[in-house]
Each structure stands twice: as C-alpha cells, then as structure tokens.
Amino acid sequence: MSDSIKAVDWVDDALVLLDQTLIPLEEQYRSYTDVDAIIDAIKRLVVRGAPAIGVAGAFGVVIAMDEAKRNGSDAEALERRIDEIRDARPTAVNLAWAVERVCRFVPQGREAVLAEAKRVAEEDRASGDEMGRIGADWLIERLGKRPLTLLTHCNTGSLATTSIGTALGVIREMHNRGAIKEVYADETRPLLQGSRLTAWELKKSGIPYRIQPDGAAALAILTGRIDAALIGADRIAKNGDSANKIGSLAVALACHEAGIPFLVVAPESTVDRSKASGDEIHIEIRSDEELTHFRGIQVAPLDAKTFNPAFDVTPAKYISAVITEKRAYEIAKGETL
Ligand code: MRU
C-alpha cells in the first residue's frame, strides 16, 4: 500500500502529475495535455524518479499523438516530438525504455499506445511489492529479524514510482514486518529529495525517521549508527555498476569501509544490459542556478563556476546486491546482470 500517493496518473485523457517541486508545502495535482508542458515537467522534476518518469513518458507519447492529430502533423513531426520526450532527461534508462516500448504500438493507433502505457504503469506497480519482499528477505537473512536502522539517499518511494517504491518499498516492507528501528534519510542536495519527499512519505507511513545532511552520512555509518544502506538506481550496467542520485557513491564507500550491506533496489526496467559498465552511462549535468540560488534566493556569487552532476556511478565492487522484482543479484560475489 502506497498511502494512496499517485505521482503519475492518466485521468480523462490527460496526464496527471503530483507536483513534486511543491512537496511538502503543498499537494497539488496538475493536468497535462501538451507535449512542451510534459517535457518541462520532466526537466524541472515536477515528476521525477526513474520509474515515474518512464510512466510519464509513456503517457506522453499518447499526448504527442493527440497533439499531432490536433495540429495535422505528419508522422515525421510526431516522431520528432516523441524523441524530445525520450531525451528530456538522459540518465534514467526507464524514460527511453518506456517511450520506445509504447512507440512500437504507434502504427496500431492511439488506443493501442494508451493500453501499453497503462501496462507499463501496472507492471511497475506490481514490481514494487516483489522488490519489497525480496529485499526484506535478503536483509533479514543476513542481519537477523531485529529492528534495524537503515540509511537511504534521495527519494525512491511512491513519488518516484507507481508502486510502494524501490529502496523505500523494501523499507516499508521491513516496517510491516516490525524490522525497522529508524530510517536515516539523507537530505539530498541540492534539490532536497530526501528531506522534502522521503521524509514526507516516511511520515505518512508512520515509519520512524530522521533527516541528516548528505555530509553526515559517512559519520553516521562509520560510528555504527547504521545497519545497512539502501538506494534506488537510474541505470544499472550489465556488470552491476549503478547510477543514482549524486552522493550515493559516498554512501557506498562508507558502507564498504564499515563492512555493512549496501543494496541497490530497482526494477528490471532500470537494468541496461547494453551498457557493459558504468563508464558508458551518460550523467546529466544540471544548471549552475541549482547551486547559486535556493528557491530564488542567491546563495553564492552569481558568477561562481559549478560542478552539478545529478547522478554518480557506484562501481559494482561496492554493491552487496542488486534487488529487482525477479531476484537478488549477488554482485559482491561476482554475479552480473
Ligand atoms: O533527479 P531525480 O530526483 O529524478 O533522481 C532520482 C533518483 O536518483 C532515484 O534514486 C532513482 O531515480 C530511483 S527512483 C525509484
């Protein structure tokens, strides 16, 4: 159960998104019926999280078909609009994967594309329960059935998926089994997906939590406060190297040093077997403004140069296991995907 949060939905021939830029201050749903607005919503993180942008992109193709019909556009113009949706964010493979999957149905018409987009959403919803079960079994088998303190980074819950979530889905399942003492949620600079979104979801679910600055994660881990860390992924290469929100790599290194489990939890749709290793993953670089300003207020010299990658890649050697809806891949033991 995902506390009835619907980050992405299809209602009355429109894509409906819960505006994640406003949470936790406001819960506002917005309806989308044109392609430019959908692309803008994906780029500005109104909708975010790899599986959720995949589902939004899939429904976006239906909107692109509706728009093409309204404007009398030809097939080539439609294709260009669909490419723009697919390329709105480059790191999360789910977006390109879902758009390409529904595009195969374009020759069969709008209703066939819509039906496939709904299947993408439904499969994602079902995958959350499976990841939750497999991940919780994995942790309890290794750490014993006792209340654990878990650390997570970014937001991987119902806001980032159409399910109970990936890493946060495992945390929810652990909570249902009485196996959570507390969750440390990294703040997740610079857009605060941890303190704004994960904390909001944990509070709604009644799971004990605290937020910490990203810089406190290594200290929390190396001083024995954390039993295991769980994160999501935007793209996982065949060898297990995993791209996720910037700061994930630092958490993995600290877990490795402390000798505690570091789990990557993601649906199979996030696995990109065409990439042999993380070196081939394109990392999105975001604007200077995300660092020089905070909610419109200047917090750095205006001409400051920045380095603002949205994601980093954790090498497989630091990952204990990758949990998908199919199984736990024992990456630390040399298994690949
Ligand atoms: O930039 P975001 O907020 O889209 O980044 C999201 C993440 O890094 C998530 O951890 C990842 O997409 C997995 S979501 C289940």
Side-chain angles (χ1 to χ4, degrees), residues 112-134:
V113 174
L114 179 58
E116 187 65 3
K118 287 182 176 172
R119 273 194 290 275
V120 169
E122 176 49 31
E123 285 172 23
D124 182 60
R125 197 207 57 70
S127 74
D129 296 339
E130 285 307 297
M131 286 183 276
R133 183 182 59 74
I134 295 170

Side-chain angles (χ1 to χ4, degrees), residues 20 42 45 47-53 89 92 94 153-157 160-161 165-167 188 191 193 197 231-234 243-246 248 265-267 270 284 286 310-311:
Q20 299 191 35
I42 294 173
L45 277 55
V47 59
R48 45 144 304 280
I53 60 175
R89 291 192 77 191
N94 305 62
H153 190 79
C154 198
N155 171 267
T156 61
T161 62
T166 61
T188 317
L191 298 180
Q193 288 92 333
L197 310 179
I231 63 160
D234 285 80
N244 192 54
K245 180 53 58 193
I246 190 73
S248 300
V265 187
T270 303
E284 175 185 5
R286 292 186 61 88
F311 304 98

Side-chain angles (χ1 to χ4, degrees), residues 81-193:
R81 295 298 271 161
I82 292 173
D83 288 351
E84 282 181 64
I85 298 172
R86 185 197 58 204
D87 300 338
R89 291 192 77 191
T91 304
V93 67
N94 305 62
L95 177 57
W97 169 84
V99 166
E100 282 161 17
R101 175 169 156 178
V102 302
C103 269
R104 290 202 296 271
F105 291 81
V106 169
Q108 292 172 42
R110 182 209 195 255
E111 291 314 305
V113 174
L114 179 58
E116 187 65 3
K118 287 182 176 172
R119 273 194 290 275
V120 169
E122 176 49 31
E123 285 172 23
D124 182 60
R125 197 207 57 70
S127 74
D129 296 339
E130 285 307 297
M131 286 183 276
R133 183 182 59 74
I134 295 170
D137 286 351
W138 194 98
L139 282 170
I140 289 168
E141 239 171 64
R142 270 124 195 118
L143 300 176
K145 188 154 191 306
R146 60 189 170 92
L148 298 176
T149 301
L150 302 177
L151 182 148
T152 192
H153 190 79
C154 198
N155 171 267
T156 61
S158 302
L159 290 170
T161 62
T162 56
S163 71
I164 58 169
T166 61
L168 208 52
V170 174
I171 289 170
R172 283 195 164 99
E173 176 62 19
M174 291 290 282
H175 176 66
N176 292 342
R177 296 187 195 185
I180 291 286
K181 185 170 166 206
E182 195 176 28
V183 176
Y184 279 52
D186 282 353
E187 178 186 43
T188 317
R189 288 282 301 150
L191 298 180
L192 308 183
Q193 288 92 333

